[in-house]
Amino acid sequence: MNRNIVYILVGVPGSGKSTLIHKMMDEHTTIVSADHYFMRDGKYCFDRQQLGKAHASCQSNFELAIKLRTKTIFVDNTNIRARDRKFYIDMALDNDYEVEILALPVDVNISVARNVHGVPAEAIQRMKDSCDLEFGKIYKVTKTDTTVIGEITREQVGF
């Protein structure tokens, strides 16, 4: 099928968002992520005070990908709450993209061990608890509805 689609990943740090993207991507894929803002000479240099700028940069990169009519766009942020996803969903739907949300399964202990950002267990648990979607589900988003269309397992993510 020849369609334009946006995949919005939902998951805590270390849940396998980037791993899954690299399994799914092809030559027509663009990945947007606030993490890209913190990359300096191939090293991740997080600065909490720059988080707003990082997300603004991610949104600008998303707008550009939409404008260029990129076939497949992945939004690789935690996207835990609806307000985190709203910008991407609205812009995608307004530009005739299909939208799917991949809410990755979460095991706090595995995520703590795997996350490259050093996010502590308590913070990961808070993120998990505050998510407004059910983890391990795939959602189809339209202008009028969000529907579960499938499930996703840790094995599918790659761990």
Side-chain angles (χ1 to χ4, degrees), residues 34-70:
D35 281 348
H36 295 166
Y37 182 84
F38 297 110
M39 295 303 293
R40 303 286 183 266
D41 299 320
K43 292 171 65 176
Y44 184 75
C45 303
F46 181 75
D47 177 354
R48 183 176 251 340
Q49 294 182 337
Q50 298 295 313
L51 203 49
K53 288 182 181 178
H55 282 283
S57 174
C58 182
Q59 289 179 352
S60 292
N61 291 335
F62 184 79
E63 286 181 280
L64 179 59
I66 292 283
K67 183 178 180 179
L68 294 173
R69 300 302 297 166
T70 304

Side-chain angles (χ1 to χ4, degrees), residues 11-152:
V12 300
S15 61
K17 296 180 300 293
S18 298
T19 301
L20 180 62
I21 289 170
H22 288 286
K23 288 175 121 182
M24 294 177 66
M25 66 187 282
D26 63 20
E27 67 274 6
H28 305 290
T29 298
T30 293
I31 303 166
V32 298
S33 174
D35 281 348
H36 295 166
Y37 182 84
F38 297 110
M39 295 303 293
R40 303 286 183 266
D41 299 320
K43 292 171 65 176
Y44 184 75
C45 303
F46 181 75
D47 177 354
R48 183 176 251 340
Q49 294 182 337
Q50 298 295 313
L51 203 49
K53 288 182 181 178
H55 282 283
S57 174
C58 182
Q59 289 179 352
S60 292
N61 291 335
F62 184 79
E63 286 181 280
L64 179 59
I66 292 283
K67 183 178 180 179
L68 294 173
R69 300 302 297 166
T70 304
K71 183 175 185 256
T72 305
I73 306 169
F74 286 92
V75 181
D76 184 14
N77 295 323
T78 56
N79 297 306
I80 294 295
R81 296 170 304 263
R83 70 176 186 226
D84 302 327
R85 301 181 296 270
K86 183 178 184 344
F87 170 86
Y88 303 104
I89 291 170
D90 290 348
M91 179 166 283
L93 293 175
D94 288 347
N95 285 277
D96 300 317
Y97 275 75
E98 293 183 31
V99 177
E100 290 185 14
I101 298 172
L102 309 176
L104 277 57
V106 174
D107 178 303
V108 172
N109 293 326
I110 291 173
S111 294
V112 168
R114 291 188 80 246
N115 93 80
V116 297
H117 308 301
V119 180
E122 304 77 38
I124 289 176
Q125 185 65 55
R126 276 193 307 275
M127 287 176 156
K128 180 182 179 186
D129 294 345
S130 68
C131 188
D132 56 5
L133 295 173
E134 186 178 347
F135 289 108
K137 302 291 183 190
I138 301 169
Y139 298 84
K140 174 81 172 171
V141 181
T142 67
K143 289 188 179 207
T144 58
D145 198 20
T146 299
T147 308
V148 174
I149 61 169
E151 295 188 353
I152 188 163

